[in-house]
Amino acid sequence: MTAQRRVLAVLCGLLAGTAWANPHRLDDSLSHTVPPNVQMQWLPLKSGQPFAGGMEARLRVNIRIDTRDWIGRSGRIYMVLPRDEASSIEAVWTTQGRLQAGRLLSGERALVHAGPITTPTLEDQLQVRLRSNADWQSNSRRLNFHFELDAD
């Protein structure tokens, strides 16, 4: 294969990948945290550990994602945490089994469901641990998690 054909093949592959990656934002406006406001607590200083000397909070999130427009379709649903300008945030969660447990950092998305969508809502309860670096500077801050669907 010539160099031109290899470059063309790579470009076609990239274009095809972006055509498939068409995320649809899902309505999760009925999701809520318990408690509604969470106070971050200082972590002890332990060298060599990520987020050592940073802040941590634990909370429960009752997830309710509107999937009625996607019943009968298959795809992958991701939880998204947009990049935070002030501090890097890590979220680690467990679930009651309807969604997948996982971990993500601000600026990333993590798979929480893959397969057919068979119900008008996806509901689960997440136990979430949030951690930030020691540069967390605000007493009040909103983290804008949301969910995206990549339909098959």
Side-chain angles (χ1 to χ4, degrees):
M1 181 181 277
T2 69
Q4 278 183 320
R5 285 189 179 181
R6 275 185 282 210
V7 169
L8 184 60
V10 169
L11 287 174
C12 287
L14 289 174
L15 290 174
T18 57
W20 287 104
N22 185 15
H24 301 275
R25 188 162 179 163
L26 297 173
D27 178 6
D28 66 331
S29 59
L30 294 178
S31 297
H32 63 277
T33 62
V34 179
N37 298 304
V38 178
Q39 181 73 37
M40 296 289 277
Q41 303 294 321
W42 286 104
L43 291 168
L45 282 172
K46 292 181 184 175
S47 64
Q49 290 187 347
F51 299 100
M55 306 285 286
E56 178 179 81
R58 294 180 184 266
L59 65 148
R60 185 175 71 224
V61 183
N62 295 319
I63 300 292
R64 185 178 172 100
I65 304 169
D66 183 350
T67 54
R68 69 181 142 203
D69 292 341
W70 300 96
I71 291 176
R73 303 268 312 262
S74 286
R76 292 161 308 287
I77 297 175
Y78 296 88
M79 184 161 67
V80 180
L81 177 57
R83 184 165 308 284
D84 190 283
E85 297 300 321
S87 179
S88 180
I89 306 292
E90 175 193 55
V92 177
W93 65 93
T94 59
T95 70
Q96 291 186 336
R98 178 82 175 159
L99 299 176
Q100 295 177 22
R103 173 188 178 273
L104 62 81
L105 296 172
S106 48
E108 297 179 349
R109 66 185 197 159
L111 183 69
V112 294
H113 174 82
I117 298 170
T118 59
T119 59
T121 58
L122 275 176
E123 298 182 49
D124 205 338
Q125 188 175 87
L126 278 57
Q127 297 295 328
V128 181
R129 183 191 72 210
L130 298 172
R131 284 189 175 172
S132 75
N133 291 319
D135 59 355
W136 182 275
Q137 296 179 3
S138 174
N139 290 335
S140 176
R141 205 144 123 211
R142 183 171 183 83
L143 300 178
N144 294 311
F145 288 92
H146 65 272
F147 294 88
E148 293 177 347
L149 168 71
D150 287 348
D152 292 340

